[in-house]
């Protein structure tokens, strides 16, 4: 093989390699695409509401709701290059405690199904970085409750609101890294021991996720 032939062959291989790399480069999803994301999610309620008697009498106790880390799935459909709709699915388990003074006692554990649907706006439509903001609604569905330490607790299901900010960062091919932060506003009524005690609870959790997505 002559030097000229070898040089041409090397240039050809470089060109093919460059084309392959270009084909494998991640691009921001476009209209009609689906982005499915598996995440590890921390749901951290911020409740610190007072526990009172039915007449509003003070007990000196407050509600504390523990956080929980669980896997979740996000499904995002792109209506246009800039606008998308996302739904997240997952379930978490939280411990509810009564705290105040020398008292710190678990009163209930419950599973929560908190689906969130948001409308997202994405400023960038090209390249390997796709930040977004969003807003939408959520539901809180309590199930599988387990009363603790002789207490009984009833929680009301309901609807709330959510805001989000996040970004997808291209890895390779259809794969991307996702960071997502949601703030959810949700209020529920808690009745303890058949209504002997009650609390108007603002759960208002932060929902922080890290995951990997695939564009289809």
């Amino acid at each position: 093989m002559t030097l000229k032939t070898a040089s041409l062959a090397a240039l050809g291989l470089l060109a093919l390699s460059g084309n392959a790399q270009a084909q494998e480069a991640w691009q921001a999803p476009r209209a009609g695409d689906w982005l499915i994301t598996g995440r590890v999610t921390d749901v951290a309620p911020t409740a610190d509401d007072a526990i009172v008697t039915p007449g509003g009498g003070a007990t000196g106790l407050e509600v504390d709701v523990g956080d929980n880390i669980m896997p979740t799935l996000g499904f995002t459909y792109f209506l246009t290059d800039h606008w998308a709709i996302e739904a997240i699915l997952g379930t978490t388990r939280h411990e509810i405690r009564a705290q105040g003074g020398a008292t710190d006692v678990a009163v209930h554990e419950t599973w929560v199904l908190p689906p969130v649907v948001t409308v997202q706006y994405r400023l960038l439509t090209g390249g390997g970085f796709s930040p977004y903001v969003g807003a939408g609604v959520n539901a809180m569905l309590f199930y599988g409750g387990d009363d603790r330490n002789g207490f009984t607790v009833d929680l009301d299901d309901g609807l709330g609101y959510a805001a989000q900010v996040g970004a997808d960062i291209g890895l390779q091919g259809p794969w991307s890294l996702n960071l997502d932060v949601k703030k959810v506003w949700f209020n529920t009524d808690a009745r303890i021991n058949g209504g002997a005690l009650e609390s108007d609870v603002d759960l208002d959790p932060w929902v922080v996720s890290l995951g990997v997505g695939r564009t289809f």
Side-chain angles (χ1 to χ4, degrees), residues 110-181:
T110 184
W111 285 94
V112 185
L113 184 67
V116 181
V117 178
T118 56
V119 176
Q120 298 177 350
Y121 177 74
R122 297 184 177 237
L123 177 64
L124 305 178
T125 60
F129 180 65
S130 180
Y132 56 84
V133 295
V137 296
N138 84 288
M140 289 285 184
L141 308 174
F142 301 98
Y143 70 96
D146 181 20
D147 292 322
R148 302 283 301 278
N149 295 313
F151 292 89
T152 62
V153 178
D154 294 314
L155 301 168
D156 288 342
D157 299 336
L159 297 175
Y161 303 94
Q164 92 183 128
V165 61
D168 293 299
I169 304 166
L171 295 175
Q172 191 174 35
W175 299 97
S176 56
L177 180 68
N178 175 258
L179 175 62
D180 185 270
V181 178

Side-chain angles (χ1 to χ4, degrees), residues 41-56:
T41 298
D42 181 14
V43 179
T46 59
D48 58 358
D49 303 274
I51 298 173
V52 298
T53 63

Side-chain angles (χ1 to χ4, degrees), residues 14-169:
L14 287 173
L16 288 173
S17 175
N19 288 335
Q21 290 178 1
Q23 290 174 358
E24 291 177 356
W26 185 84
Q27 294 294 322
R30 300 297 183 93
D33 286 347
W34 281 93
L35 178 61
I36 299 178
T37 308
R39 298 177 172 125
V40 175
T41 298
D42 181 14
V43 179
T46 59
D48 58 358
D49 303 274
I51 298 173
V52 298
T53 63
T59 65
L61 299 175
E62 294 182 346
V63 173
D64 177 78
V65 182
D67 62 349
N68 190 233
I69 298 175
M70 295 289 281
T72 59
L73 278 175
F75 300 88
T76 306
Y77 179 72
F78 284 76
L79 302 170
T80 71
D81 291 354
H82 291 285
W83 291 96
I85 296 178
E86 183 196 45
I88 65 166
L89 298 177
T91 187
T92 54
R93 184 172 177 85
H94 299 272
E95 182 182 66
I96 301 172
R97 304 184 71 86
Q99 296 180 337
T103 301
D104 183 3
V105 60
V107 298
H108 192 69
E109 287 188 1
T110 184
W111 285 94
V112 185
L113 184 67
V116 181
V117 178
T118 56
V119 176
Q120 298 177 350
Y121 177 74
R122 297 184 177 237
L123 177 64
L124 305 178
T125 60
F129 180 65
S130 180
Y132 56 84
V133 295
V137 296
N138 84 288
M140 289 285 184
L141 308 174
F142 301 98
Y143 70 96
D146 181 20
D147 292 322
R148 302 283 301 278
N149 295 313
F151 292 89
T152 62
V153 178
D154 294 314
L155 301 168
D156 288 342
D157 299 336
L159 297 175
Y161 303 94
Q164 92 183 128
V165 61
D168 293 299
I169 304 166

